[in-house]
Amino acid sequence: MTQSQGSTSTAQPMHPALAGLETPCIVIDAAVMDANIAQAAQMAQQAGVKLRPHAKTHKMPLIAKKQIEAGASGITVAKVSEAEIMADGGIDDIFIAYPLIAESKIRRAIGVSKRIANLIVGVDSEEGARLLSRVAISEGHSLQVRLEIDTGLRRTGVPYEEALELAQYIHSLDSIQLTGIYTFRGALLDGKSTKDIEAAGKAEGLMMVELAERIREAGVPVQDVSVGSSPTGAFAATVPGVTEIRPGTYVFQDRMLVEFGTCALEQCAAYVLATVVTSRPEEGHAVIDGGSKTFATDVQPNTNPLQLRGFGHVLEAPDALLERLSEEHGILRTAPGTSLAPGDRVRVIPNHICSTINLHNHVYLLEEDRVRQLDVAARGMLE
Amino acid sequence: MTQSQGSTSTAQPMHPALAGLETPCIVIDAAVMDANIAQAAQMAQQAGVKLRPHAKTHKMPLIAKKQIEAGASGITVAKVSEAEIMADGGIDDIFIAYPLIAESKIRRAIGVSKRIANLIVGVDSEEGARLLSRVAISEGHSLQVRLEIDTGLRRTGVPYEEALELAQYIHSLDSIQLTGIYTFRGALLDGKSTKDIEAAGKAEGLMMVELAERIREAGVPVQDVSVGSSPTGAFAATVPGVTEIRPGTYVFQDRMLVEFGTCALEQCAAYVLATVVTSRPEEGHAVIDGGSKTFATDVQPNTNPLQLRGFGHVLEAPDALLERLSEEHGILRTAPGTSLAPGDRVRVIPNHICSTINLHNHVYLLEEDRVRQLDVAARGMLE
């Protein structure tokens, strides 16, 4: 579905402002990104839910600010280090959607909490909750927490059926306020048709709303019911009682979301600009200067339920298959009639943009007729 | 073969100096690394070939210096940006083993060439050679080049049978000196038994020596015949006429090389230090705080010809299978009797260390009783 059947490109021609860039590099089309940001904000507003985008996709404070200016209530991050970078960048409402179980990280999170308007951290166990409470008491600071629920992905999160008891326990602890519950399922476990994704999103929302009700009936006043991903968020948002969605990838979109039917290829705002370094048209063989250190490989071609062919979609040669990556080489199998000569430049939409951005120290933002370099400020952050 | 059959670890206990590190992070055991560096230097010396390690594995000038101090004649890089960082770090003999076909990159390479003792660049086409010559003339600087030969990987490199003619053409151009030929095959195309790898290394060496002879007979005085990877280098080095090998991964070793039989697990100098964040022993389920942004996924489990199970080998739980990665979560399937509790730390040897190091802004070098942070200076370099 991401592979055009025509042998010629239907994409917009490459902007002349890109001519000065060396390759490989990531280019972000600001107009397409802004439209994605506006569309998600409008969708959330119409559904009456808060939008708290996951900044793991872009890792850039400037883009987080654009999301908030467009109506997002705050952002989501996965790491304390990302929260620190985003707070440094002026973001003042941050949810660290990850269970913090190391004292040093909890102290750092409290440090962020003391300097921004609103910080929320994840918790998914009794031990974790006890540690959060103990450190918060020792820092003389009350911490807002949300309980992560495992709704089927079997990653982090308390098992659904144990959540009520754990919520009551967390509520009993000092210096931490349990204000919500959250979950992440994504759509990978639920097939790939739009119908599957709609069903997954709604099921996720219904499970969480029902659980939140039982927690409230037990005397724990949780307000926030936070769910959703880029593919499922729009559907989860329609479930009464859901208060917040946390899509991330939507800001750029990628080939995986096109495959899911979540967006059109034309809505993909980020692509890798690469140069053909070797070409043997008669053999249907061409090599570009980007490999597994330029394109993320965590969404593999032809993996179930994804049917993506190759590691990316080449706008200039839609039938070309990016079939093999070494670290700095991408091997294209080209269709008859495709002419890619050494020195030619191509734009490649990667399978998974979040982990692809994370490979790059900086990206280039294409705004009308200028190109601006942006550091991926929170990339490669470990702790 | 990288999965122990015992359910308990046979690894050395974790060094207490690691207790202060936050996770996930990469730790490099300096003693193990130094032994790898010394072993390769001795192997090359005994074989009478030069060792020019590929710095793409570590991307750190300090480690390149250690390799040179141990006897390496210089280093290999894949990008001009890596050459610039290594030159800044005091490395004065660098081979950019990649065809440079962009004028801006050639000018940057000449800039490096003007400030270090020896710079060599790759070329694999007439067009590329013409451009190198033209830019070198315009810069008033003579550039040393090596012709890349495709010996079967079908990546970059001139087809073997066209190499003689291209060598003669390059020799005829001004301001570029063709001083050698090089190739890269790796071992992936040649099965995975030690016998397969020995055969691959020797075949690669023989093809290249035979070609170099024909090129010399045609009046082109190429001296260097540069071949080899970490798995094949030791075998290629034994072929008379081979003058140089370019292994990279050997400096740290990794799970892929253990699978190839190139090294023992105990020779792996680099591992990811991770923390168990969620654990359900009764379900054989545990989650660590490292996913596809911490562990490279370009060497996938169970991909032919590799039979690696999972995305890494957990030293503390050899039977645990790192079976699934999301961006910041690693899902372990644990064996009965394995007890991994939240807060426990594990050391995980990744499948592919080169692309794993590239995910991290810095690593921790464990030297005797101290831990030192090293920036991965050339990581995330695009152009």
Side-chain angles (χ1 to χ4, degrees):
Chain A
M1 138 184 231
T2 60
Q3 296 285 335
S4 148
Q5 288 321 299
S7 67
T8 55
S9 172
T10 57
Q12 295 294 316
M14 202 176 299
H15 194 290
L18 305 186
L21 300 179
E22 291 192 282
T23 65
C25 65
I26 290 177
V27 175
I28 294 166
D29 185 316
V32 178
M33 174 181 72
D34 292 345
N36 292 337
I37 289 172
Q39 183 188 42
Q42 186 183 23
M43 174 270 288
Q45 188 188 22
Q46 285 172 354
V49 301
K50 288 180 183 165
L51 174 64
R52 186 182 285 278
H54 205 309
K56 56 129 186 173
T57 301
H58 53 72
K59 297 198 170 203
M60 291 176 257
L62 178 97
I63 295 177
K65 277 187 185 156
K66 280 173 168 269
Q67 292 172 311
I68 288 168
E69 285 159 12
S73 61
I75 63 164
T76 305
V77 298
K79 295 164 171 267
V80 176
S81 52
E82 292 171 356
E84 289 167 337
I85 296 272
M86 290 293 163
D88 293 346
I91 307 302
D92 72 350
D93 191 331
I94 303 173
F95 172 33
I96 304 174
Y98 205 92
L100 298 186
I101 61 160
E103 181 164 340
S104 59
K105 289 187 185 180
I106 295 169
R107 291 196 190 278
R108 286 167 58 199
I110 290 172
V112 174
S113 179
K114 287 175 174 174
R115 64 188 171 105
I116 67 173
N118 190 40
L119 181 90
I120 314 165
V121 304
V123 59
D124 76 344
S125 67
E126 274 190 31
E127 307 85 324
R130 267 196 299 276
L131 185 62
L132 282 167
S133 173
R134 181 165 65 71
V135 178
I137 290 166
S138 76
E139 294 274 341
H141 184 83
S142 178
L143 204 51
Q144 191 182 159
V145 304
R146 287 180 179 177
L147 176 58
E148 181 175 9
I149 313 297
D150 179 1
T151 50
L153 189 57
R154 298 193 79 247
R155 205 169 68 173
T156 45
V158 61
Y160 188 81
E161 54 285 354
E162 302 169 19
L164 175 60
E165 193 179 344
L166 181 55
Q168 291 173 295
Y169 176 75
I170 296 168
H171 184 57
S172 74
L173 296 172
D174 294 333
S175 291
I176 56 175
Q177 272 59 52
L178 180 63
T179 58
I181 60 175
Y182 74 104
T183 192
F184 179 80
R185 285 183 92 190
L188 281 172
L189 298 179
D190 304 280
K192 70 180 185 73
S193 79
T194 307
K195 227 183 190 56
D196 294 331
I197 291 160
E198 176 171 1
K202 289 185 170 171
E204 178 184 355
L206 288 167
M207 283 177 79
M208 293 291 284
V209 169
E210 189 270 344
L211 176 61
E213 272 314 308
R214 284 197 284 117
I215 291 172
R216 292 173 187 133
E217 284 159 13
V220 182
V222 291
Q223 301 108 48
D224 304 307
V225 179
S226 177
V227 302
S229 61
S230 289
T232 61
F235 304 112
T238 65
V239 176
V242 165
T243 67
E244 178 183 279
I245 56 172
R246 306 186 317 279
T249 314
Y250 82 89
V251 63
F252 300 138
Q253 313 282 18
D254 61 15
R255 203 166 170 237
M256 179 168 48
L257 290 181
V258 173
E259 175 75 9
F260 282 149
T262 304
C263 66
L265 199 60
E266 296 64 35
Q267 292 174 279
C268 292
Y271 48 83
V272 170
L273 182 67
T275 301
V276 176
V277 289
T278 297
S279 177
R280 302 183 200 149
E282 70 289 348
E283 300 173 33
H285 177 76
V287 181
I288 58 174
D289 59 356
S292 63
K293 285 176 173 173
T294 299
F295 295 94
T297 53
D298 57 342
V299 171
Q300 288 278 310
N302 306 311
T303 47
N304 240 342
L306 293 172
Q307 300 307 319
L308 294 168
R309 295 174 57 243
F311 288 96
H313 176 76
V314 184
L315 289 178
E316 283 68 24
D319 285 348
L321 181 64
L322 182 54
E323 63 180 352
R324 188 158 52 94
L325 300 178
S326 50
E327 286 167 56
E328 305 292 357
H329 302 74
I331 287 76
L332 288 170
R333 193 195 307 158
T334 54
T338 310
S339 72
L340 290 175
D344 287 353
R345 291 182 159 203
V346 294
R347 294 166 294 177
V348 185
I349 296 172
N351 288 355
H352 189 192
I353 193 62
C354 309
S355 38
T356 296
I357 294 271
N358 187 60
L359 290 170
H360 296 248
N361 288 346
H362 55 261
V363 299
Y364 293 97
L365 187 65
L366 174 61
E367 301 172 300
E368 285 162 6
D369 285 340
R370 69 169 188 157
V371 168
R372 167 152 72 123
Q373 181 175 314
L374 289 184
D375 287 345
V376 184
R379 68 137 323 281
M381 289 290 155
L382 312 184
E383 308 89 358
Chain B
M1 134 184 235
T2 60
Q3 294 285 334
S4 147
Q5 289 320 299
S7 67
T8 55
S9 171
T10 57
Q12 296 293 316
M14 201 176 300
H15 194 290
L18 304 186
L21 300 179
E22 291 193 280
T23 65
C25 64
I26 290 177
V27 175
I28 294 165
D29 185 314
V32 178
M33 174 182 71
D34 292 345
N36 292 338
I37 290 172
Q39 183 188 40
Q42 186 182 23
M43 173 270 287
Q45 189 188 25
Q46 285 173 354
V49 301
K50 287 180 184 165
L51 174 65
R52 186 183 283 279
H54 205 309
K56 57 131 187 174
T57 301
H58 53 72
K59 297 197 170 204
M60 291 177 257
L62 179 96
I63 294 176
K65 277 186 185 158
K66 280 173 168 270
Q67 292 173 310
I68 288 168
E69 285 159 9
S73 62
I75 64 164
T76 305
V77 298
K79 296 164 171 267
V80 175
S81 53
E82 292 170 356
E84 289 167 337
I85 296 273
M86 289 294 164
D88 294 345
I91 307 302
D92 73 349
D93 191 330
I94 303 173
F95 171 33
I96 304 174
Y98 206 91
L100 298 186
I101 62 160
E103 181 164 338
S104 59
K105 288 187 185 179
I106 295 169
R107 290 196 191 280
R108 286 167 57 198
I110 289 172
V112 173
S113 179
K114 287 175 175 175
R115 64 189 173 106
I116 67 174
N118 189 41
L119 182 90
I120 313 165
V121 305
V123 60
D124 75 344
S125 68
E126 274 190 30
E127 306 85 324
R130 268 195 299 276
L131 184 62
L132 282 167
S133 173
R134 182 166 65 71
V135 177
I137 291 167
S138 75
E139 294 274 341
H141 185 83
S142 178
L143 205 50
Q144 190 181 161
V145 304
R146 286 180 179 177
L147 175 59
E148 181 175 7
I149 312 298
D150 179 1
T151 49
L153 189 58
R154 299 193 80 245
R155 205 169 66 172
T156 44
V158 62
Y160 187 81
E161 55 284 357
E162 302 169 20
L164 174 59
E165 193 180 341
L166 181 55
Q168 291 173 294
Y169 176 74
I170 296 168
H171 183 57
S172 74
L173 296 172
D174 295 333
S175 291
I176 57 175
Q177 272 61 50
L178 180 63
T179 58
I181 59 175
Y182 74 103
T183 194
F184 178 80
R185 282 184 92 189
L188 281 171
L189 297 179
D190 303 280
K192 69 182 187 72
S193 79
T194 307
K195 228 185 191 54
D196 293 331
I197 291 161
E198 176 171 3
K202 289 184 170 171
E204 178 184 355
L206 288 167
M207 285 177 78
M208 292 291 284
V209 168
E210 189 270 343
L211 176 62
E213 272 314 311
R214 285 196 284 118
I215 291 172
R216 292 176 187 129
E217 284 160 13
V220 182
V222 291
Q223 300 108 50
D224 303 308
V225 179
S226 178
V227 301
S229 60
S230 288
T232 61
F235 304 112
T238 65
V239 177
V242 165
T243 67
E244 177 184 281
I245 56 172
R246 306 187 317 279
T249 315
Y250 82 91
V251 63
F252 300 138
Q253 313 282 18
D254 62 15
R255 202 166 169 238
M256 181 168 46
L257 290 181
V258 173
E259 176 75 10
F260 282 149
T262 303
C263 66
L265 200 60
E266 296 63 35
Q267 292 173 279
C268 292
Y271 47 83
V272 170
L273 182 67
T275 301
V276 176
V277 289
T278 297
S279 176
R280 302 181 200 149
E282 70 288 350
E283 301 173 32
H285 177 75
V287 181
I288 59 175
D289 59 357
S292 63
K293 286 176 174 173
T294 299
F295 296 93
T297 54
D298 57 342
V299 171
Q300 287 278 310
N302 307 310
T303 47
N304 237 342
L306 293 171
Q307 300 306 318
L308 294 167
R309 296 174 56 242
F311 289 96
H313 176 76
V314 183
L315 289 178
E316 284 68 24
D319 285 348
L321 182 64
L322 182 55
E323 64 179 352
R324 188 159 52 95
L325 300 178
S326 50
E327 286 168 56
E328 305 291 357
H329 302 74
I331 287 74
L332 287 171
R333 194 196 308 160
T334 54
T338 309
S339 72
L340 291 175
D344 287 353
R345 290 182 161 204
V346 294
R347 294 165 295 177
V348 185
I349 297 172
N351 288 354
H352 189 192
I353 193 61
C354 309
S355 39
T356 296
I357 293 271
N358 186 60
L359 290 171
H360 296 248
N361 288 347
H362 54 261
V363 300
Y364 294 96
L365 187 64
L366 174 61
E367 301 172 299
E368 284 162 6
D369 285 340
R370 69 170 187 155
V371 169
R372 163 152 74 123
Q373 181 175 314
L374 290 183
D375 287 345
V376 184
R379 68 138 323 279
M381 290 290 155
L382 311 185
E383 306 89 0

